[in-house]
Amino acid sequence: MKKRMIARVMAGIMAATMMVTGVGCGKKNDGSRKYQIGISQYGEHGSLDNCREGFLAGLEKAGLKKGVDYEVDYQNAGFDDAIATQIGQSFSANDVDMMVAIATPSATACYAAAEDKDIPVVFTAITDPKAAGLTDGNVTGTSDKLPVEAQMDLIRKMQPEAEKIGIIYTTSEQNSVSAIAEYKEKAGDYGFTIAAIGVTQQSEVTQAVDTLLSEQVDCFSNLTDNNVVGVLASILEKTNEAGVPVYGSEVEQVKLGCVAAAGIDYYQLGIQTGEMAAKILKGEASCDDIPYETISEYGIYINSTAISELNITVPAEITDKAIETAE
């Protein structure tokens, strides 16, 4: 009798273990169960929103339908690292099949929370996954590495006399630190110097703008820095008054009033990420089988309204290939 009871207990433990393992690996136990996907987005602005919408489109493109094949728990950290950590921990506690992290702070938080349970983490909108420690373990995704040289080439052609580029970045965002290093390394090749100011929180950004304006920068170049992009409207109010152009890093920033950008399409980046995630969810591949990918295509975007207000003359070689964003 005792042996039969022990056997039943052991069988129950094994079944529960298999169920948890199935959840951690992101695989269905049977045809009736939906994948549970936790999406952690670091903050709300156009490029990150586009990543999320593109991700869902990528899942659908891969044959997975929301409400039929999967459910989403979408959480927004509001640019708060502590909240990003809480979101990752809640996903782990709920044993989601997959964590999807949009931007570096959310990705590192999810990775830390998922590691003990071996839940796959798929990230997007991360400039330097290796520097962020996101290349080992049950993790993969897509990088939004900026085309820094293309951006400086664009600035040189639009402002032939420019000498100094101002850049504001968050010191705790590894993607921004990496981009600043590349700007400084390559600026001399285009005849520029870089005046960079690091901030620790969003409230410091507009003061940094004032400081750079006092240093008489010829223009600003934005990164995909969440704290900076989150207050872009306030930045543009100051720079427009001073008559100093701001170059964005992707199409949404140009739509909001930056003069131009050599940047990527975050919606397409999201689609690429969703297709990767679908392979993992369906058991066609593991994170180890899919190294992180960097989008190679970039576009030239211009805002003719902003350009006109700042009296910039755009050469034909730019206008011939640029995508207009001004409404």
Side-chain angles (χ1 to χ4, degrees):
M1 183 71 173
K2 286 183 179 179
K3 287 182 179 180
R4 283 199 298 272
M5 288 179 66
I6 291 172
R8 287 172 185 157
V9 170
M10 292 301 295
I13 292 172
M14 289 178 65
T17 301
M18 289 175 67
M19 184 175 294
V20 170
T21 302
V23 168
C25 294
K27 297 180 181 179
K28 286 185 177 181
N29 296 312
D30 56 59
S32 64
R33 187 179 168 278
K34 299 171 186 172
Y35 303 119
Q36 301 299 312
I37 303 174
I39 298 180
S40 175
Q41 183 171 317
Y42 187 54
E44 198 169 78
H45 62 66
S47 56
L48 300 188
D49 292 342
N50 283 348
C51 276
R52 186 183 74 253
E53 292 168 8
F55 174 80
L56 297 175
L59 291 180
E60 186 167 353
K61 187 176 178 181
L64 299 179
K65 294 190 178 298
K66 187 176 180 180
V68 177
D69 299 297
Y70 68 91
E71 298 288 351
V72 168
D73 180 3
Y74 165 63
Q75 300 289 331
N76 192 303
F79 302 108
D80 188 314
D81 288 3
I83 294 176
T85 297
Q86 293 171 9
I87 291 169
Q89 291 171 346
S90 71
F91 288 163
S92 178
N94 291 332
D95 286 323
V96 297
D97 293 285
M98 174 179 285
M99 297 189 198
V100 176
I102 305 174
T104 303
S106 287
T108 54
C110 284
Y111 179 66
E115 195 169 14
D116 289 343
K117 292 193 174 182
D118 204 32
I119 298 172
V121 175
V122 177
F123 58 76
T124 188
I126 294 181
T127 298
D128 194 341
K130 185 175 182 180
L134 296 168
T135 55
D136 296 316
N138 202 2
V139 60
T140 190
T142 56
S143 168
D144 64 347
K145 187 179 184 303
L146 296 175
V148 170
E149 292 189 76
Q151 179 85 329
M152 287 194 286
D153 182 64
L154 174 66
I155 296 171
R156 174 54 65 215
K157 288 172 179 173
M158 290 183 61
Q159 292 183 258
E161 305 301 320
E163 297 179 357
K164 187 185 294 186
I165 300 174
I167 305 178
I168 303 168
Y169 71 101
T170 304
T171 56
S172 60
E173 281 204 31
Q174 185 57 50
N175 58 324
S176 298
V177 173
S178 175
I180 284 290
E182 186 174 2
Y183 262 100
K184 289 182 175 180
E185 177 188 351
K186 297 176 179 177
D189 296 339
Y190 296 86
F192 293 122
T193 59
I194 302 299
I197 293 183
V199 299
T200 60
Q201 54 192 351
Q202 199 168 71
S203 61
E204 299 172 3
V205 173
T206 53
Q207 182 179 348
V209 173
D210 290 334
T211 300
L212 289 173
L213 287 173
S214 72
E215 294 180 12
Q216 297 184 324
V217 296
D218 296 293
C219 65
F220 285 77
S221 187
N222 278 348
L223 310 178
T224 51
D225 188 292
N226 294 293
N227 279 326
V228 176
V229 178
V231 290
L232 180 56
S234 298
I235 293 171
L236 290 170
E237 184 177 349
K238 287 178 174 290
T239 56
N240 287 342
E241 184 178 350
V244 177
V246 177
Y247 294 83
S249 55
E250 45 82 35
V251 61
E252 295 299 327
Q253 294 177 30
V254 182
K255 287 179 181 178
L256 289 172
C258 292
V259 292
I264 64 174
D265 185 329
Y266 275 83
Y267 186 77
Q268 291 300 320
L269 187 70
I271 288 176
Q272 185 175 338
T273 312
E275 291 177 317
M276 295 171 70
K279 291 179 181 179
I280 297 165
L281 286 168
K282 293 190 288 187
E284 297 172 0
S286 68
C287 291
D288 288 335
D289 299 326
I290 312 176
Y292 80 85
E293 300 173 359
T294 301
I295 194 166
S296 57
E297 299 293 326
Y298 70 88
I300 301 295
Y301 306 98
I302 61 173
N303 185 320
S304 293
T305 301
I307 288 169
S308 176
E309 289 174 353
L310 291 166
N311 297 314
I312 297 173
T313 300
V314 184
E317 63 178 305
I318 299 297
T319 56
D320 288 346
K321 61 183 177 181
I323 299 170
E324 178 62 67
T325 66
E327 295 182 356

